[in-house]
Amino acid sequence: MSLIPGISRTKPKHRAADAVANLREENRRLLTQLFEARDHIAIQEQQLAETRAMQDQAETELVQVAASLQDRTGERDEAHAKVAALRAQLAPYLAAEANANAITVPTAERDTTAFEDQATEPIKVTTLWAAHGIGPVLATQGSTDPAHLPAA
């Protein structure tokens, strides 16, 4: 406050007590953030440990599955070999049975005694020039004037 009545300050005075209070408030706020960060870090470390444990378990299961896959692949290959051998052994019997039970049909012959069913000869296709025994008029044969075409 001013000593002269009617005159007031637009800015408050800078006092050391106010600065100390502001610093204490800032210190309290920073400590709160520090404790929250420590709690957050602890939670993250716990989740990391759980994730690593799950990863180790998954890797163990993966090794077991890979070993099982190799075993099953070997069994499958052996089964394919047995099936191929049995098919080769069974093939003569299947062929003999197919020949014994074969259905034979005589070859078909078309009756062409009726006039409508008479076979036709292929149609001869030629150009008009070849059919009439003429050829194109060339400039070397004489005049190029159409009135002077040679008579055929």
Side-chain angles (χ1 to χ4, degrees), residues 74-140:
E75 291 174 5
R76 183 204 60 202
D77 293 343
E78 289 176 10
H80 280 298
K82 285 181 183 178
V83 166
L86 290 175
R87 280 188 181 158
Q89 190 177 9
L90 185 63
Y93 298 108
L94 291 175
E97 182 181 350
N99 288 335
N101 296 328
I103 299 173
T104 58
V105 178
T107 57
E109 292 185 19
R110 182 175 174 194
D111 181 23
T112 58
T113 56
F115 174 75
E116 304 85 39
D117 292 335
Q118 293 296 315
T120 59
E121 67 182 46
I123 299 172
K124 183 178 176 184
V125 178
T126 60
T127 63
L128 287 174
W129 289 343
H132 293 289
I134 60 173
V137 177
L138 301 175
T140 59

Side-chain angles (χ1 to χ4, degrees), residues 17-33:
D18 292 338
V20 169
N22 288 340
L23 289 173
R24 284 185 179 156
E25 178 62 27
E26 184 179 358
N27 191 22
R28 184 194 60 77
R29 188 174 44 81
L30 291 174
L31 284 173
T32 303
Q33 287 180 355

